[in-house]
Amino acid sequence: MKPIWIVDDDPSIRFVLEKALAREKLPTRSFVHPKEVLEALAQADDPSQLPSALVSDIRMPGGNGLQLLEQVHDAQPQLPVIIMTAYSDLDSAVSAFQRGAFEYLP
């Protein structure tokens, strides 16, 4: 089974998501920065190395989850991307869906 990729600069959020998904027997791979995700996507030699879904925070040092969403959507349009944020507002929710987010979790 392909892993669910998680990108968030907060280690406690990554930990909680990893544990919740592991409880459902879903594999994960975690990243701290959006740049790491893009590098991993670029290095994937075959489809089995790609994630089944990507869960990303919006606000991270050194990157923006909405920009990552656009870049991932351009490279892998079929990949479901779930955007999450602790700082939800209507503009970011609308922007996430306009850029192709599968879901938005405030």
Side-chain angles (χ1 to χ4, degrees):
M1 176 179 281
K2 293 187 200 180
I4 296 171
W5 287 7
I6 300 164
V7 58
D8 197 309
D9 61 305
D10 185 332
S12 61
I13 298 295
R14 289 193 314 271
F15 177 80
V16 168
L17 288 172
E18 289 166 357
K19 294 302 175 195
L21 293 168
R23 194 176 12 209
E24 299 300 321
K25 297 182 177 39
L26 296 169
T28 61
R29 180 175 175 189
S30 292
F31 302 87
V32 177
H33 300 288
K35 181 180 175 185
E36 296 171 340
V37 173
L38 296 172
E39 289 171 356
L41 283 174
Q43 293 172 359
D45 293 334
D46 65 69
S48 68
Q49 295 176 323
L50 296 172
S52 59
L54 174 68
V55 180
S56 177
D57 190 14
I58 287 181
R59 293 184 184 180
M60 295 173 279
N64 175 302
L66 295 177
Q67 292 168 343
L68 175 63
L69 168 61
E70 282 184 344
Q71 293 169 314
V72 168
H73 198 265
D74 287 345
Q76 299 291 328
Q78 77 288 357
L79 179 63
V81 178
I82 299 168
I83 296 293
M84 61 183 179
T85 184
Y87 307 99
S88 182
D89 60 58
L90 184 58
D91 288 340
S92 64
V94 169
S95 184
F97 284 117
Q98 287 176 335
R99 296 175 190 209
F102 177 79
E103 188 58 76
Y104 178 87
L105 304 174

